[in-house]
Amino acid sequence: MESGVASSALLELDLILKNGNIADEERFDVFNALMVEFPREMIAPVTHGSLAASISLQKTYAGIRSFYFDSIHIGVAIQADGIIVSSDAAFDRISEVKRIGLESL
């Protein structure tokens, strides 16, 4: 898969927006706008394989706080191409993926 977005990232974004009391209409607008930027074929799905990888990562990196969604994003990346694009340098500690910084794009 060429550069894409993990479906887990979209779910996490929606949870952040919802917990931030963003109105439903605004959340709707956000995801409609994202559909233009990231069409369906660019979305890497969460699968049973990526979730299994995620659980393994959670055991391996048990000391990392708030690692649940990050581990799912990494699991999806492992299943796709082993690359994760993020500004979060904490991903550099995860040997299973290669991080590309947003600033380098």
Side-chain angles (χ1 to χ4, degrees):
M1 173 181 197
E2 189 175 308
S3 295
V5 175
S7 59
S8 56
L10 297 174
L11 177 59
E12 184 179 17
L13 173 59
D14 192 42
L15 288 171
I16 290 168
L17 295 174
K18 188 165 180 60
N19 287 335
N21 295 316
I22 303 301
D24 291 346
E25 298 79 24
E26 291 179 70
R27 289 175 38 231
F28 179 83
D29 291 344
V30 165
F31 289 103
N32 271 332
L34 287 173
M35 282 193 303
V36 173
E37 295 297 321
F38 301 103
R40 181 183 312 240
E41 57 273 5
M42 289 184 69
I43 305 300
V46 173
T47 65
H48 43 48
S50 59
L51 287 173
S54 169
I55 294 165
S56 178
L57 290 161
Q58 290 169 31
K59 289 191 304 189
T60 301
Y61 299 97
I64 299 176
R65 289 191 50 200
S66 304
F67 190 60
Y68 179 74
F69 269 108
D70 286 349
S71 70
I72 295 173
H73 305 327
I74 294 166
V76 171
I78 289 169
Q79 296 289 301
D81 58 10
I83 297 172
I84 192 156
V85 177
S86 175
S87 60
D88 189 346
F91 285 116
D92 293 337
R93 298 187 306 187
I94 312 301
S95 63
E96 290 82 357
V97 292
K98 176 184 178 199
R99 180 182 76 91
I100 297 175
L102 289 174
E103 58 282 354
S104 68
L105 298 178

